[in-house]
Amino acid sequence: MSLVLDPAAQDLLFREARTANTFTDEPVTDEQVQAIYDLVKYGPTAFNQTPLRVTLVRSPEARERLVRHMAEGNQPKTAAAPLVAILSADNEFHEELPHLFPAMPQVKDLFFAERPVRENAATLNAALQAAYFIIGVRAAGLAAGPMTGFDYEGVRKEFLDDDHTPLMVVNIGRPGPDAWYPRSPRLEYDQVVTTV
């Protein structure tokens, strides 16, 4: 059985897409980021909770502050990328639930009254949204360089607040020279899928 999605789009979003390590200096505009968000906001989450928050790091001063918190190997590419996004989970996402999930407005207090429950839900669902965000960057014809090698507490204190948990930092732009490492192996279908 073949997929409905055009093979070129399959390549763009999946088979040819990899983490970019170098970028050109072509800017990434606010309009491009808006278009990415307007596409990926439809990705599913539990109760439509939508906890992902995106902090765009554009100014040289903010970039310098961020680079200090990146792992050594991630510092040069973070310093050079046209745009960097800090993706975080909003642990107070439940405040929006009466609007976002009108079919069951009481879900805010019924399931998410306790902070530890909210934090777990926010992390899981924001990570799901982050994956869609990366695919959206690719759909815009840009490359994404998602990274988890950074000082989480340092980034939280520098850019966020106690209600937000950083998940990843994503470099965004047009791929530059030698942007890709060789493709690493993947598990095969029968190594992953079990039928019971």
Side-chain angles (χ1 to χ4, degrees):
M1 177 178 134
S2 63
L3 299 173
V4 174
L5 189 64
D6 177 77
Q10 295 174 36
D11 288 342
L12 176 71
L13 299 178
F14 298 101
R15 284 190 286 266
E16 299 299 324
R18 303 206 280 293
T19 295
N21 294 288
T22 68
F23 297 89
T24 70
D25 58 3
E26 181 180 334
V28 177
T29 67
D30 288 336
E31 291 76 17
Q32 286 172 300
V33 177
Q34 176 79 52
I36 291 165
Y37 177 74
D38 285 342
L39 176 65
V40 304
K41 68 183 178 184
Y42 296 108
T45 58
F47 299 110
N48 198 34
Q49 59 191 249
T50 326
L52 181 70
R53 300 296 177 264
V54 181
T55 303
L56 300 178
V57 180
R58 287 203 180 273
S59 74
E61 298 79 18
R63 182 74 60 100
E64 187 176 311
R65 288 169 29 224
L66 176 60
V67 167
R68 286 196 302 261
H69 296 290
M70 301 304 294
E72 186 177 342
N74 291 334
Q75 289 179 353
K77 54 190 171 186
T78 303
L83 179 63
V84 182
I86 300 168
L87 305 188
S88 63
D90 180 357
N91 296 308
E92 297 298 313
F93 69 87
H94 69 306
E95 296 296 342
E96 301 292 338
L97 283 176
H99 167 70
L100 293 173
F101 200 66
M104 190 179 176
Q106 70 273 24
V107 74
K108 169 185 180 256
D109 299 313
L110 189 61
F111 292 118
F112 300 112
E114 296 180 14
R115 176 71 180 239
V117 173
R118 287 199 307 274
E119 288 178 354
N120 288 337
T123 298
L124 174 64
N125 287 278
L128 178 61
Q129 288 186 279
Y132 275 96
F133 181 84
I134 292 166
I135 292 172
V137 168
R138 295 171 178 175
L142 301 170
M147 301 167 291
T148 55
F150 61 91
D151 174 2
Y152 282 71
E153 186 61 16
V155 167
R156 188 193 61 74
K157 286 181 178 177
E158 191 82 42
F159 294 95
L160 306 170
D161 59 32
D162 289 340
D163 290 331
H164 293 80
T165 303
L167 300 173
M168 67 184 68
V169 174
V170 183
N171 294 328
I172 304 169
R174 301 257 180 228
D178 302 316
W180 321 115
Y181 295 145
R183 171 72 79 191
S184 295
R186 295 296 191 268
L187 295 176
E188 295 301 324
Y189 178 85
D190 59 356
Q191 295 175 284
V192 175
V193 178
T194 303
T195 302
V196 294

